[in-house]
Amino acid sequence: MNDTSTKRKTALKPKVERPKLHKVILVNDDFTPREFVVTVLKGEFALSEDQASRVMITAHQKGVCVVSVYPRDVAETKATRATDAGREQGFPLLFTTEPEE
Ligand code: TYC
């Protein structure tokens, strides 16, 4: 058998799906102190004071704010840790996750 008989006419296109990133979302509440929210944002998500203040104020005014995006397991771990930090102090602070479109 010669080589040409088995040759493809079109190149194989590698179909590598990029895993979706997931958003971590900060949810407003009426009880958690603003400064505590900023502290958690800086500690868990490595935001600067300025970035953390802006994210906190946006959630406070609009109800929610996207903090950052990560691979799913990282997003879920960070959201859980940040929510637990609030619970440990008796605050209803909540972080959720959802896949990016
Ligand atoms: N709304 C809170 C207050 O007035 C502050 C706050 C902001 C709490 C954002 C949660 O995700 C939040 N003390």
Side-chain angles (χ1 to χ4, degrees):
M1 200 202 289
N2 66 37
D3 287 340
T4 53
S5 66
T6 56
K7 227 178 193 170
R8 290 178 186 283
K9 296 195 179 66
T10 55
L12 266 184
K13 196 174 175 185
K15 282 221 177 72
V16 180
E17 297 283 318
R18 207 180 290 278
K20 261 186 196 160
L21 291 175
H22 286 237
K23 298 182 277 192
V24 174
I25 299 163
L26 170 64
V27 181
N28 186 40
D29 67 72
D30 291 339
F31 302 101
T32 309
R34 294 181 184 206
E35 195 46 51
F36 183 81
V37 180
V38 170
T39 299
V40 171
L41 288 169
K42 287 160 67 180
E44 187 59 45
F45 301 98
L47 300 190
S48 68
E49 176 77 26
D50 192 58
Q51 290 169 327
S53 293
R54 288 168 189 270
V55 167
M56 182 279 295
I57 283 292
T58 300
H60 177 74
Q61 292 176 340
K62 299 194 168 184
V64 290
C65 183
V66 175
V67 179
S68 193
V69 295
Y70 303 98
R72 185 176 63 158
D73 57 338
V74 177
E76 287 175 352
T77 299
K78 285 183 176 292
T80 299
R81 283 170 50 96
T83 298
D84 286 350
R87 183 172 306 155
E88 280 166 21
Q89 301 299 317
F91 300 130
L93 182 63
L94 177 63
F95 291 81
T96 63
T97 65
E98 64 176 64
E100 269 194 333
E101 301 75 42

